[in-house]
Amino acid sequence: MFNRSLLATSIVIVHLPAHAENLPIVSVEEKSWPLNTTHALNVDEIQAADSAAALKALPGAAVNRNGALTGIAQYRGLAGDRVDVSIDGGSVVTGGPNAMDTPLSYIPASQLLSLEVTRGTASVSQGQETIGGHIEATSYQGDYTDTDDAVLNARVHTNWNSQNRGSSSSIQVIGANRHHKLGISSSYDHADDSEFAGGDLEDTAYERRRNDLFYGYRRGDTELNLKLGKNNTGDSGTPALPMDITSIDSDLASFNVSTKAAGIQFSWNSSYTNVDHGMDNFSLRPQPMMGPRYTQASGREWMHKLMATLPLNEGLIRVGADYSETEHNALITNPQMAMFEIQNFNDAERNITGLFAEWQHNYGNLSWELGARFNEVSMDADDVSAFLGSGMNGTMNMTMMTNMANMLAMNFNNSDRNITDHNRDLVLKTSYQINEALSFNASLSSKQRAPSYQERYLWLPLQASGGLADGYTYLGNLDLDSETSNELNLGIDYRTEDGYISLQTFYRDVDNYIQGTPYQASGNMMIDNAVGMFANMMSNGKSALQYNNIDAKLFGGELSYGLQLSTHWSLSGSLNYVRGQRTDSSDDLYRIAPLNHRLAINYQQDQWDVQLVSEIFDQQNRVSTYNQEAETAGYGLLHLFASYDVTQTLQLRAGIDNLTDKRYQDHLAGYNRVSGNDDIAVGERLYGTGRSAVLGLTFKW
C-alpha cells in the first residue's frame, strides 16, 4: 500500500526549484475519474511567494516568468488569455495591459489549499474560453466541525530564503461549527533582489500584502461561501518588461451557493475584481534615454454563472449560462511634463454571454462526455488621444510627434470598434477501462477564442502585449477573427497499488491563431510613417509587429510515473514535450517550453520527509523567427529538502535549492530590460537563481 508519499490516487511529493522566489513542497495528485482527470497540487507545506511557480511540478504545465510575482501560466504551449484560470470558483481579471498582475498572483502561495490543472481538454462547463486549458486555484478557508459548539483554530506559516533574503508569512484564524465557519487570513511577502551563479538579478525585489475575510454556511443540501479580499502589491520588479510595478490595489469578492430541489443540483457563482495598477520605468531601474514614463491602468470585471445538474441512472446532465463583463483603461504620462498624455486604452470593454450543456454517461467499462457551448463576445472601446509635447526637445520635434500620434488616434477613432463574435465549443471525451489496472482515454474538441482587448484595440505601437516580453512594439487589429482550435487527445493509464504510469499525447490544429507579424503597409503613407517612427522610438530600432491571424499547430505529450520502492522509499517523475509551429509558413511559435524531465526521490519515516529532485531541460533551438527569439542551452538542476514534524501542530523545514549552484537560463524567462547591470546585458535572457538555503516552519493550534 502507498504511504504519505504515494497514495492510491497517485500522489507524489516533489520540491520545485527556485528561479526568482522561494518555491513549495507540494504533493502532486492526479485525480483519475473516468472523464475529468485533473493534475492537482495539495499544498500543505509551501515555500513559494508566487503560486504560479508550483505549476512546474504538473505534467504539461509551465510558467512564463516576467518577474518574481509575475508568472504567466502555460499549458501545452499555450499561455496567457488562452488558459482559463479560476480562483475559489470565480474569475480574476488582470489590471494592466502587460499582465504584471497575472491571475495566480492574486492567491499568494502561503494561502493556497490546492492548484489543479485539467488534463487535456477542459469541459465546456469549466470556463467561458478554455482553448488552452483550465486551472483551478483554491484558497485555504478551514473546515466545518461535527458539533454545534464553535471551535477556534489558527495556522501560522513562515519561510525564509537566503539568495534574496526573502520571507513569506501568513496567518489564518477560523471559527467554525457544523453549520458555520468565519475566518480571516493575512499574508505578507517581501524580498530583495535575487542572485544567480556569478552575478545579481537586479530589479527582482518584491512586496505584497493580502487580507481576506470569509464566511461559509452548510446545512443539508445547501452550501454557501462568501469571500472578500484586498490585495496590495508595492514596488516589485519585472525586469523582462519595460516598466515595473509601483502599486497594485485590488478589491476582490466571490460568492458561491449550491442547493438541491426536486432532485436537481443548482449552483450560482459570482465574482468581482476591481484593480488599480500603477507602473513606471524609473523608480526601481535606471531611467531610460526616452525619459520617465508612468502608466496608471485599471481593470474591472463582473462574472456570474448559473448551472443545474440533473443526476441520471448512469451519468448526469449539466446545463447553464454565464456572463462576464470586463473594462480596461490605461493612461501613460510623463512626470517631468505635465501635459504629456497617451490614452493607451479608454473603456475597452469585453463582455461574454455564454450558454452550455453537458451529458456524461457510463456504459459498463465505457464512459463518455458530450459538451457544447455558445459564446457571444461583444467588444467596444471609446475614443483615444495623445499629447507628447510641442516645440523641440533636443533633436526631437515634439510637435510633429504629437501630430503623428493624433493621426493614428484619429484613424482609430473613425473606425468601427463595436465588434461581436459568435463562438462555439464542442467537446467529446471517452474513457475505457480495459481491466482493473489499465485504461484508455481519448477526446476530440473544437474550441474558439475571441481576440483580447490588446489584440484588437492597441492603436499606437507600444509594448503592451499581455506579457509577451519580446522587446517588440505591437499594434492591434480590428479585423481579427476568432481563433479555432481542433484538438485530439489520446492517452493510456496503468495503475497498481505499487505504482502508476500514464502516457498522454495531443495534436492541436489552430486556425486563425493570433500572433504578431511584421507590420504591412496600409497604403496610407502618413499612417505607415507614423507607425514606423513610433515603433523605432519605443523598441530601439525594431519594426512594429501587428496582431494578425495565422495558422498553427501544437503537438506533444507527457509521460508521468510513480513507484513505491519500499515502505519508506518512493520515486515519481514526468517527461514533458511540446512543439509549436506555424503551418502557413516555416517558423516556430514563440516561448515554447523545451523538452524536460523531473524526477523526485522521496524518503519518509515517522516525522521525517526528505526529497531529492532532479530537473533536466533540453536545449531549445526551435524558436520564433518573427520575434527574434534567442535559443537556450540545456541544463540540469538538483534540489534537496527536508521537513520534520516536531508535533502534530509544529513542522520545521530546511533545504537547498540549486544544490550545485548551476548557472542557467530558463527558456521561458524573459530578456533583461534593465540597464546598468554589469552581470546581464540589456536584451540578454535572464538567469535562474543560484544556490539558496531555505528555512521554514508551520504552527497550528
Side-chain angles (χ1 to χ4, degrees):
M1 296 296 294
F2 289 9
N3 64 12
R4 188 172 71 179
S5 59
L6 269 176
L7 303 181
T9 49
S10 307
I11 295 178
V12 295
I13 304 292
V14 300
H15 182 221
L16 303 182
H19 291 279
E21 68 287 317
N22 300 337
L23 290 172
I25 289 289
V26 296
S27 60
V28 181
E29 179 179 358
E30 185 174 283
K31 298 180 180 178
S32 297
W33 297 295
L35 295 171
N36 292 318
T37 299
T38 61
H39 300 296
L41 294 175
N42 296 323
V43 186
D44 297 320
E45 303 161 344
I46 191 110
Q47 301 290 335
D50 182 26
S51 294
L55 289 172
K56 296 187 67 176
L58 295 174
V63 182
N64 295 355
R65 176 65 62 190
N66 290 334
L69 300 180
T70 305
I72 299 174
Q74 180 181 133
Y75 183 63
R76 289 182 166 181
L78 296 182
D81 292 333
R82 296 184 175 99
V83 179
D84 181 62
V85 178
S86 176
I87 298 177
D88 291 326
S91 178
V92 175
V93 69
T94 60
N98 245 328
M100 292 180 180
D101 57 327
T102 64
L104 286 175
S105 71
Y106 285 105
I107 180 167
S110 60
Q111 297 187 16
L112 192 65
L113 175 66
S114 65
L115 188 64
E116 299 181 0
V117 177
T118 300
R119 188 176 76 180
T121 300
S123 299
V124 297
S125 62
Q126 290 184 288
Q128 290 186 311
E129 291 181 307
T130 58
I131 193 171
H134 175 76
I135 296 173
E136 176 68 37
T138 305
S139 63
Y140 177 73
Q141 298 181 42
D143 298 311
Y144 295 97
T145 70
D146 297 327
T147 70
D148 292 326
D149 297 327
V151 176
L152 185 68
N153 59 75
R155 173 183 180 268
V156 174
H157 178 86
T158 187
N159 296 293
W160 178 82
N161 186 303
S162 67
Q163 59 86 15
N164 61 4
R165 282 105 17 226
S167 64
S168 297
S169 301
S170 67
I171 182 171
Q172 291 93 21
V173 180
I174 301 154
N177 62 17
R178 71 167 73 235
H179 298 304
H180 303 271
K181 61 177 179 179
L182 178 66
I184 59 172
S185 181
S186 182
S187 66
Y188 178 67
D189 303 300
H190 174 271
D192 297 331
D193 287 341
S194 293
E195 300 172 351
F196 69 97
D200 296 324
L201 290 166
E202 295 184 3
D203 197 28
T204 54
Y206 59 85
E207 182 181 37
R208 177 178 59 188
R209 292 175 173 85
R210 174 70 190 246
N211 297 287
D212 295 276
L213 172 68
F214 49 87
Y215 169 74
Y217 171 80
R218 182 184 67 179
R219 186 182 294 269
D221 295 321
T222 300
E223 185 165 355
L224 177 150
N225 290 283
L226 173 65
K227 184 177 182 181
L228 304 174
K230 183 77 173 178
N231 182 92
N232 299 107
T233 301
D235 288 343
S236 299
T238 51
L241 298 174
M243 290 185 174
D244 300 305
I245 299 168
T246 59
S247 65
I248 300 175
D249 297 318
S250 307
D251 299 314
L252 305 102
S254 62
F255 173 76
N256 308 313
V257 62
S258 64
T259 191
K260 185 177 288 186
I264 302 175
Q265 185 76 30
F266 294 94
S267 63
W268 176 272
N269 304 83
S270 289
S271 58
Y272 171 71
T273 310
N274 184 350
V275 183
D276 287 311
H277 177 15
M279 63 199 92
D280 70 30
N281 66 353
F282 57 88
S283 294
L284 302 181
R285 66 178 71 187
Q287 180 178 300
M289 292 185 61
M290 67 182 292
R293 297 291 185 269
Y294 176 84
T295 297
Q296 185 65 44
S298 65
R300 312 282 187 273
E301 182 184 52
W302 281 101
M303 173 75 182
H304 307 286
K305 178 180 178 180
L306 174 65
M307 185 169 67
T309 303
L310 174 64
L312 303 176
N313 288 335
E314 295 294 336
L316 58 84
I317 291 176
R318 289 193 186 98
V319 295
D322 44 35
Y323 175 76
S324 64
E325 180 179 296
T326 62
E327 179 184 287
H328 285 89
N329 292 276
L331 181 67
I332 304 172
T333 58
N334 182 342
Q336 295 179 356
M337 187 183 299
M339 296 183 67
F340 183 103
E341 187 174 283
I342 298 175
Q343 189 72 58
N344 193 184
F345 297 101
N346 187 16
D347 288 345
E349 298 178 359
R350 191 175 189 271
N351 306 326
I352 306 177
T353 302
L355 299 171
F356 61 88
E358 285 177 356
W359 175 40
Q360 293 184 1
H361 189 72
N362 299 321
Y363 183 77
N365 291 339
L366 178 66
S367 302
W368 68 78
E369 175 184 299
L370 288 172
R373 166 180 280 275
F374 171 79
N375 286 335
E376 180 185 80
V377 185
S378 60
M379 300 180 64
D380 203 353
D382 287 350
D383 289 352
V384 296
S385 62
F387 182 83
L388 282 69
S390 60
M392 298 297 295
N393 183 2
T395 60
M396 300 180 67
N397 188 328
M398 302 306 295
T399 301
M400 182 186 71
M401 293 182 62
T402 296
N403 291 338
M404 296 185 80
N406 277 311
M407 183 171 53
L408 293 176
M410 185 179 299
N411 185 59
F412 178 82
N413 294 340
N414 290 336
S415 63
D416 183 6
R417 304 182 300 278
N418 191 336
I419 304 170
T420 299
D421 294 279
H422 295 99
N423 294 340
R424 51 94 194 116
D425 290 357
L426 301 171
V427 172
L428 168 63
K429 298 184 183 183
T430 62
S431 176
Y432 185 75
Q433 194 73 36
I434 299 171
N435 57 43
E436 186 175 311
L438 189 63
S439 64
F440 172 80
N441 61 82
S443 68
L444 282 170
S445 66
S446 180
K447 295 189 174 187
Q448 295 184 302
R449 179 190 75 96
S452 67
Y453 77 97
Q454 300 101 316
E455 292 165 343
R456 272 213 165 119
Y457 296 136
L458 184 55
W459 61 275
L460 184 71
L462 292 171
Q463 297 181 44
S465 57
L468 290 178
D470 58 0
Y472 278 89
T473 57
Y474 280 76
L475 197 65
N477 188 344
L478 296 172
D479 296 324
L480 287 173
D481 293 322
S482 293
E483 298 176 332
T484 300
S485 172
N486 300 306
E487 183 175 352
L488 169 66
N489 288 269
L490 297 173
I492 190 166
D493 297 281
Y494 181 79
R495 302 174 182 279
T496 68
E497 289 188 343
D498 295 321
Y500 69 95
I501 186 168
S502 174
L503 175 63
Q504 304 296 320
T505 62
F506 72 96
Y507 180 89
R508 178 188 292 129
D509 183 83
V510 187
D511 295 328
N512 294 320
Y513 184 87
I514 298 173
Q515 176 180 289
T517 62
Y519 175 77
Q520 299 296 313
S522 66
N524 185 323
M525 183 178 297
M526 297 181 68
I527 294 291
D528 296 338
N529 288 340
V531 169
M533 183 191 72
F534 278 102
N536 182 72
M537 181 178 66
M538 297 291 184
S539 58
N540 296 321
K542 293 182 178 179
S543 299
L545 298 180
Q546 184 173 33
Y547 289 112
N548 280 298
N549 292 119
I550 64 168
D551 294 324
K553 64 180 179 182
L554 299 100
F555 56 91
E558 305 90 37
L559 176 68
S560 55
Y561 58 89
L563 180 63
Q564 191 72 42
L565 300 172
S566 67
T567 303
H568 303 297
W569 290 92
S570 64
L571 63 82
S572 62
S574 65
L575 178 69
N576 306 282
Y577 175 74
V578 60
R579 178 82 187 274
Q581 295 177 289
R582 291 187 62 169
T583 56
D584 57 352
S585 69
S586 179
D587 196 15
D588 291 284
L589 299 184
Y590 173 66
R591 218 171 186 181
I592 301 293
L595 174 71
N596 62 87
H597 178 260
R598 174 181 282 106
L599 172 65
I601 299 174
N602 186 82
Y603 176 80
Q604 190 272 321
Q605 184 175 13
D606 299 326
Q607 297 100 323
W608 282 100
D609 200 336
V610 181
Q611 299 90 27
L612 177 66
V613 175
S614 165
E615 290 187 305
I616 299 174
F617 289 83
D618 194 12
Q619 64 178 348
Q620 182 58 287
N621 53 18
R622 295 180 171 126
V623 294
S624 171
T625 301
Y626 279 126
N627 300 86
Q628 293 188 337
E629 186 178 15
E631 299 181 0
T632 48
Y635 59 91
L637 301 171
L638 286 174
H639 319 284
L640 180 65
F641 194 89
S643 65
Y644 180 72
D645 296 331
V646 181
T647 66
Q648 291 185 341
T649 61
L650 176 63
Q651 182 189 75
L652 303 178
R653 298 178 297 277
I656 303 176
D657 282 318
N658 193 356
L659 192 62
T660 62
D661 203 24
K662 179 72 174 181
R663 182 185 176 105
Y664 69 97
Q665 292 172 310
D666 183 344
H667 187 76
L668 300 184
Y671 307 102
N672 179 44
R673 305 293 303 279
V674 180
S675 63
N677 187 339
D678 295 333
D679 301 319
I680 307 177
V682 173
E684 184 180 2
R685 194 178 296 278
L686 291 162
Y687 287 88
T689 55
R691 181 167 50 224
S692 179
V694 291
L695 299 172
L697 68 84
T698 299
F699 181 59
K700 303 176 183 178
W701 72 91

